[in-house]
Amino acid sequence: MNLEHYIDGAHVPSVSGQTFTSLEPATNRPALTVASGDAEDVDLAVRAALRAFTDGPWPRMPGEERAAVLRGIAAAIEARDERIAELECGDTGLPITQARGQARRAAHNFRFFADVISSLGEDVYRVGSAQLNYVVRKPVGVAGLITPWNTPFMLETWKLAPALAAGCPVVLKPAEWSPLSASLLPEIMEEAGLPEGVFNLVHGIGERAGAALVAHPDVPVISFTGETATGQTIMRDAATGLKTLSMELGGKSPLLVFDDADLERALDAAVFGVFSLNGERCTASSRVLVQDTVYEEFVARLAERAARVRVGPPHDLATELGALIHPEHYERVMSYVRAGVEEGARLVAGGGRPDGLPEGNFLAATVFADVTPAMRVFQEEIFGPVVCVTPFATEKEALELANATRYGLAAYVWTSDLRRAHRMAQSVEAGMLWINSQNIRDLRTPFGGVKASGLGREGGRYSIDVYTEAHIVHVATEDLPIPRFGLG
Ligand code: NAD
């Protein structure tokens, strides 16, 4: 199958004619030939989007009219629910049952931001009867959206929906390892009646197509999700243009289990939190910190559950853990497994390729116990089905361990002591924290991280802040004093 760019309402190859090959994770056989975008392709896409911004109807439409189109996009996604899930499953190695959830969430993203934009008010500040100051939310301009390869369709829509809702035309640059599901977006947008030039898609390698989008002078906002190191490069590159940046970056999120917790539910959350979505999940609970009084019991039960996580072909309905995205990423995850063993962590489950899956990027659910903060597996994001377990004695030690990495995306606290739960919630360095719960999202709430996990927040009105400028107009409704200069 061949994938092309989508610019100004037309499917087009790269100006250079160049392409790259994308592999199927379950077999590592070449599956797709994809147009490889460069600065010239990005420029064509940005110019189309800029025309849509300066001359087109989209930024000027009442929010309610844009919302109607977004609801149409949601319906068009739902009509392709199964197809999107199948493409995503084949292209990313995500188990089909979990890929279905992502397609549903993608539709929900558009419905949700349709509601946000149709109910959004703007602010007025009155100064007695003398002055009226009102805020107008203006779409900021062409939005550059750069997305990662994990749950690609859902994450693309997580950016597209608010950017479009705010009135911004967009240029989307999907990840090169998972370009397939984005190829359904053009027909979805057309079916919903989105005006031409508002949605543009440029495939390509990050350092070329992505970097060109960041460097383009007519793109005032970049919303990026990906690795912390890439985020740092993008920040440097965006500095020249003084761009607005929204950065959703890596994580190494702790799940804390105190001995008064409901251990069965904490165990369910720990297993699901790190092995769902193949462990390729930014908010994965990849560090489990357990109070020493229940530590050995918890480790044994976690290892037993991990050993029973069903690893298999992504299309198999019984599969819980599919194939990792790419042989390069597989090798990277395996290098961490080797590092864990070399550094002296205790491997209690997994650690290698499961029987019966000789090809493709399959790794058994892997558990390391007795992991210390000095180890690389404790500090670095592995982004695969590998969890590190560390004991703690006191609340103070639990907090120190929780905060002992450079990341701060999510955290999960399991305890039946309400006061302790809230104490931890105040002190754990994380953008998002769940108490006695797995990662259940409420799209109205701010999503994002602290420290090396990101800058800014998206979600609900926080996303609208990213894609709009708050323009303030001051109106004198009485004669306000004017100091009189120049009277001699
Ligand atoms: P990545 O940083 O390698 O790539 C992300 C995107 O950036 C891709 O589209 C890539 O082509 C592009 N890119 C690469 N170099 C670029 C450059 N110099 N300029 C512009 N664009 C460039 O990330 P990945 O490996 O695709 O994704 C996995 C990472 O994403 C993990 O670290 C994960 O934690 C993170 N992530 C974070 C969140 C979050 O919300 N915080 C969500 C999902 C994934």
Side-chain angles (χ1 to χ4, degrees):
M1 194 194 267
N2 281 327
L3 301 186
E4 293 188 317
H5 311 305
Y6 181 75
I7 298 175
D8 212 7
H11 295 269
V12 290
S14 285
V15 174
S16 68
Q18 285 192 1
T19 58
F20 65 91
T21 303
S22 174
L23 309 177
E24 184 191 36
T27 60
N28 286 327
R29 281 194 272 276
L32 305 166
T33 303
V34 189
S36 184
D38 262 312
E40 284 169 298
D41 308 287
V42 167
D43 186 51
L44 289 173
V46 172
R47 276 199 266 162
L50 191 59
R51 279 194 299 278
F53 184 66
T54 51
D55 307 331
W58 189 251
R60 280 158 275 280
M61 271 184 194
E64 188 50 56
E65 283 179 32
R66 282 204 296 270
V69 176
L70 296 191
R71 290 190 186 101
I73 295 173
I77 289 174
E78 274 159 357
R80 291 164 180 77
D81 206 339
E82 195 53 36
R83 175 121 184 85
I84 294 166
E86 270 176 27
L87 294 187
E88 198 85 316
C89 169
D91 198 33
T92 67
L94 209 61
I96 184 72
T97 48
Q98 297 170 42
R100 282 183 186 139
Q102 299 304 309
R104 281 191 293 273
R105 168 66 199 283
H108 184 47
N109 284 340
F110 280 101
R111 283 233 161 77
F112 172 78
F113 280 104
D115 291 346
V116 169
I117 202 64
S118 53
S119 60
L120 195 73
E122 287 155 324
D123 298 328
V124 176
Y125 302 83
R126 285 186 302 130
V127 186
S129 58
Q131 199 184 30
L132 185 66
N133 305 324
Y134 66 90
V135 177
V136 182
R137 287 258 157 209
K138 291 182 171 177
V140 68
V142 176
L145 312 179
I146 303 178
T147 49
W149 48 256
N150 64 312
T151 58
F153 195 76
M154 194 285 284
L155 283 175
E156 286 151 14
T157 60
W158 173 240
K159 295 189 186 304
L160 284 167
L164 294 175
C168 294
V170 302
V171 177
L172 169 69
K173 208 302 279 169
E176 50 270 48
W177 285 352
S178 60
L180 184 53
S181 50
S183 67
L184 290 180
L185 286 167
E187 61 179 64
I188 288 170
M189 300 295 173
E190 285 173 13
E191 195 173 299
L194 190 75
E196 269 178 21
V198 175
F199 169 75
N200 302 276
L201 167 69
V202 177
H203 291 289
I205 307 302
E207 291 77 3
R208 287 161 55 186
L213 190 54
V214 173
H216 202 292
D218 291 322
V219 178
V221 56
I222 296 286
S223 176
F224 169 77
T225 299
E227 280 188 28
T228 298
T230 315
Q232 288 168 324
T233 304
I234 290 178
M235 279 193 83
R236 276 193 293 274
D237 293 350
T240 319
L242 288 172
K243 299 187 184 222
T244 298
L245 294 175
S246 171
M247 294 271 164
E248 301 192 340
L249 308 177
K252 191 75 184 176
S253 303
L255 183 150
L256 294 90
V257 184
F258 288 90
D259 62 5
D260 60 357
D262 180 334
L263 293 184
E264 190 63 31
R265 285 180 58 76
L267 182 66
D268 285 345
V271 172
F272 183 77
V274 76
F275 299 129
S276 59
L277 305 180
N278 294 346
E280 297 163 328
R281 175 180 195 151
C282 55
T283 51
S285 46
S286 52
R287 290 185 299 138
V288 174
L289 312 177
V290 188
Q291 196 151 24
D292 51 8
T293 38
V294 291
Y295 178 75
E296 283 304 338
E297 177 199 345
F298 200 86
V299 167
R301 291 175 70 190
L302 181 56
E304 186 207 336
R305 288 281 293 275
R308 290 167 58 189
V309 168
R310 285 188 296 261
V311 188
H315 279 101
D316 189 332
L317 287 174
T319 293
E320 292 171 318
L321 176 52
L324 302 192
I325 186 81
H326 193 273
E328 227 175 84
H329 182 61
Y330 184 72
E331 181 40 40
R332 187 180 131 141
V333 174
M334 289 306 296
S335 76
Y336 278 110
V337 173
R338 289 192 294 273
V341 173
E342 280 158 20
E343 288 175 314
R346 177 161 55 109
L347 183 66
V348 292
R353 183 180 283 281
D355 293 340
L357 294 164
E359 59 172 2
N361 310 314
F362 294 98
L363 171 61
T366 297
V367 182
F368 279 114
D370 307 345
V371 176
T372 66
M375 295 178 187
R376 280 181 61 210
V377 288
F378 184 98
Q379 293 294 340
E380 296 176 25
E381 184 183 43
I382 300 175
F383 219 57
V386 181
V387 64
C388 297
V389 196
T390 305
F392 67 84
T394 61
E395 190 179 313
K396 181 171 173 289
E397 193 188 353
L399 182 61
E400 281 165 8
L401 287 168
N403 291 343
T405 75
R406 67 182 185 132
Y407 293 108
L409 189 58
Y412 309 85
V413 179
W414 286 86
T415 176
S416 57
D417 180 338
L418 200 59
R419 296 193 335 162
R420 168 157 64 199
H422 286 286
R423 276 197 301 275
M424 296 306 285
Q426 303 303 315
S427 312
V428 172
E429 294 162 354
M432 303 170 279
L433 184 138
W434 281 262
I435 296 171
N436 295 331
S437 167
Q438 60 120 341
N439 175 344
I440 294 179
R441 284 275 290 125
D442 172 344
L443 299 191
R444 295 169 301 178
T445 61
F447 184 96
V450 298
K451 294 164 56 180
S453 289
L455 277 181
R457 295 290 180 274
E458 297 210 32
R461 67 180 174 80
Y462 301 90
S463 293
I464 302 299
D465 285 345
V466 173
Y467 300 106
T468 57
E469 294 284 8
H471 176 69
I472 175 74
V473 179
H474 303 88
V475 186
T477 42
E478 290 174 5
D479 282 346
L480 294 172
I482 307 174
R484 302 191 76 200
F485 277 28
L487 296 178

